[in-house]
Amino acid sequence: MTITKAVIPVAGLGTRFLPATLAVSKVMIPIVDRPSIHYAIEELHQAGITEVIFIISPDQKSIKDYFQPRPDIETLLQNRGETELLKNIRSIQNLVSINFVTQKSPLGLGHAILQSKKLIGDQAFAVLLPDDLIFGNESTTSEMIKIFYQNPGIILAAKKVKDEMISKLGIIDPLNINGNQIHVKSVIEKPDLENAPSNIAIIGRYILPKEIFAKLESIQPGALGEIQLTDAIDSLMTELPCVAYQFTSDHFDIGTPVGLVKASVYQSLTREHMSEDVSSWIKTIPLLNED
Ligand code: G1P
């Protein structure tokens, strides 16, 4: 079975980015020159995904706009000879086919994923949370799909986190660790530090079998009173094996302003036409050099 579909939930309110998110969706805030969903689509495309389903809130129109052809702007760029910019704006439109499903009320990540049930149909699929930006030569989703083909079941991306992050994330109880792959015994959403089974957290990449939908339909609200994807995964683990993949690429939690700043600086340092300028400026920032 080939994995060709992916879900990107983007219906969150983005309260940590107020006041900007009064007018713009959190996932449209740029990291250098493109929003997080652009990087997400590139990662999925590299993994062989051909169809992406966005789960949006009722008022999230700007996301749809991002994928609309803009002949007016294209003509302008063409006339100005801006071929590089033209290539950039066209590239994202043709990478994958895009669908939108509206999540009418914010009832949790699990509830958001459940909204994709009809469009996913009878197959395994990928989930990418765009707040978790992962930069690397190899697409992390692609690496996880390869693991899925060897061990069909549930595949999660995972990373060791600091104690203060544990109560904010899904946490893994490992059965055994084999290199960068962990066989998972159970998962728990946002545990207190004292009850956490480890300091290994789920990061926003999942390969999920179709059986997840029946679990999402039957579970009760969990942490924060929401329908949690982690709870559905935990329940499915009694029927199917679960592997957590400790990826090695650089990860940024851009759900927080600090993470967004770090990701932007990192990304700018990978861009040929700006890396030198940014890196030499960083060394001279007056605030860093004050005693
Ligand atoms: C979600 C998941 C959580 C996971 C996290 C990764 O939490 O519920 O298990 O660890 O994404 O970013 P949220 O960030 O939506 O609270």
Side-chain angles (χ1 to χ4, degrees), residues 190-205:
K190 306 195 198 310
D192 294 336
L193 182 56
E194 345 28 299
N195 300 326
S198 77
N199 63 344
I200 304 169
I202 303 171
I203 303 300
R205 303 288 182 279

Side-chain angles (χ1 to χ4, degrees), residues 8 10 24-43 54 62-67 88-89 91-92 128-135 205 254 260 263-264 267 271:
I8 307 183
V10 293
V24 75
S25 211
K26 181 179 61 175
V27 292
M28 295 310 297
I29 296 175
I31 294 99
V32 182
D33 54 357
R34 50 199 77 179
S36 61
I37 51 169
H38 190 121
Y39 297 98
I41 298 274
E42 283 177 337
E43 177 181 329
F54 278 102
S62 61
I63 295 178
K64 287 190 178 174
D65 290 347
Y66 195 66
F67 298 99
N88 281 347
I89 69 163
S91 69
I92 199 69
L128 187 154
L129 309 186
D131 270 358
D132 285 309
L133 206 53
I134 305 180
F135 294 133
R205 303 288 182 279
I254 58 163
L260 187 89
S264 303
Q267 181 59 214
R271 303 283 182 92

Side-chain angles (χ1 to χ4, degrees), residues 16 109 129 131-132 168-171 188-190 201-206 224 226 228-230 251 253:
R16 272 176 287 194
L109 177 60
L129 309 186
D131 270 358
D132 285 309
K168 299 185 173 125
L169 296 166
I171 302 295
I188 173 166
E189 185 65 20
K190 306 195 198 310
I202 303 171
I203 303 300
R205 303 288 182 279
Y206 308 77
L224 310 177
E226 297 178 345
Q228 295 290 353
L229 179 59
T230 303
H251 164 245
D253 173 9

Side-chain angles (χ1 to χ4, degrees), residues 104-121:
K104 294 195 184 91
S105 341
L107 300 180
L109 177 60
H111 180 260
I113 302 303
L114 184 55
Q115 310 311 303
S116 69
K117 183 182 171 192
K118 262 200 202 131
L119 287 178
I120 293 291

Side-chain angles (χ1 to χ4, degrees), residues 13 45 49 66 68 109 115 121 125 181 185 197 209 218 230 241 247 263 271 290:
L13 295 172
H45 172 69
I49 298 295
Y66 195 66
Q68 293 302 316
L109 177 60
Q115 310 311 303
F125 60 103
Q181 293 186 29
K185 192 156 81 183
S218 63
T230 303
F247 59 94
R271 303 283 182 92
E290 275 170 13

Side-chain angles (χ1 to χ4, degrees), residues 38-254:
H38 190 121
Y39 297 98
I41 298 274
E42 283 177 337
E43 177 181 329
L44 294 172
H45 172 69
Q46 280 171 31
I49 298 295
T50 54
E51 190 179 331
V52 169
I53 300 153
F54 278 102
I55 312 298
I56 59 173
S57 63
D59 57 350
Q60 258 172 331
K61 294 192 190 64
S62 61
I63 295 178
K64 287 190 178 174
D65 290 347
Y66 195 66
F67 298 99
Q68 293 302 316
R70 285 293 301 269
D72 53 337
I73 293 181
E74 291 183 22
T75 309
L76 190 89
L77 293 176
Q78 205 138 27
N79 292 343
R80 288 184 184 169
E82 299 261 24
T83 46
E84 200 52 33
L85 275 180
L86 192 60
K87 209 171 83 198
N88 281 347
I89 69 163
R90 279 181 178 157
S91 69
I92 199 69
Q93 289 162 4
N94 304 322
L95 286 187
V96 292
S97 82
I98 304 223
N99 284 297
F100 297 91
V101 177
T102 303
Q103 181 189 21
K104 294 195 184 91
S105 341
L107 300 180
L109 177 60
H111 180 260
I113 302 303
L114 184 55
Q115 310 311 303
S116 69
K117 183 182 171 192
K118 262 200 202 131
L119 287 178
I120 293 291
D122 208 15
Q123 53 186 279
F125 60 103
V127 170
L128 187 154
L129 309 186
D131 270 358
D132 285 309
L133 206 53
I134 305 180
F135 294 133
N137 293 332
E138 179 90 15
S139 145
T140 297
T141 298
S142 167
E143 293 171 323
M144 291 170 66
I145 289 177
K146 283 183 202 148
I147 298 171
F148 174 84
Y149 290 149
Q150 287 159 3
N151 314 269
I154 307 156
I155 316 293
L156 311 172
K159 175 184 167 180
K160 281 196 181 131
V161 294
K162 293 189 181 141
D163 283 359
E164 60 265 32
M165 290 306 295
I166 284 180
S167 63
K168 299 185 173 125
L169 296 166
I171 302 295
I172 285 165
D173 188 0
L175 197 58
N176 58 64
I177 302 181
N178 186 2
N180 58 16
Q181 293 186 29
I182 302 170
H183 283 101
V184 181
K185 192 156 81 183
S186 64
V187 284
I188 173 166
E189 185 65 20
K190 306 195 198 310
D192 294 336
L193 182 56
E194 345 28 299
N195 300 326
S198 77
N199 63 344
I200 304 169
I202 303 171
I203 303 300
R205 303 288 182 279
Y206 308 77
I207 308 299
L208 298 172
K210 62 177 189 313
E211 288 81 3
I212 196 72
F213 291 118
K215 297 294 181 189
L216 287 169
E217 278 164 340
S218 63
I219 56 166
Q220 295 300 311
L224 310 177
E226 297 178 345
I227 304 287
Q228 295 290 353
L229 179 59
T230 303
D231 293 345
I233 291 171
D234 190 59
S235 168
L236 188 56
M237 242 178 256
T238 54
E239 294 154 39
L240 289 168
C242 175
V243 172
Y245 169 55
Q246 295 200 79
F247 59 94
T248 50
S249 297
D250 295 307
H251 164 245
F252 298 90
D253 173 9
I254 58 163

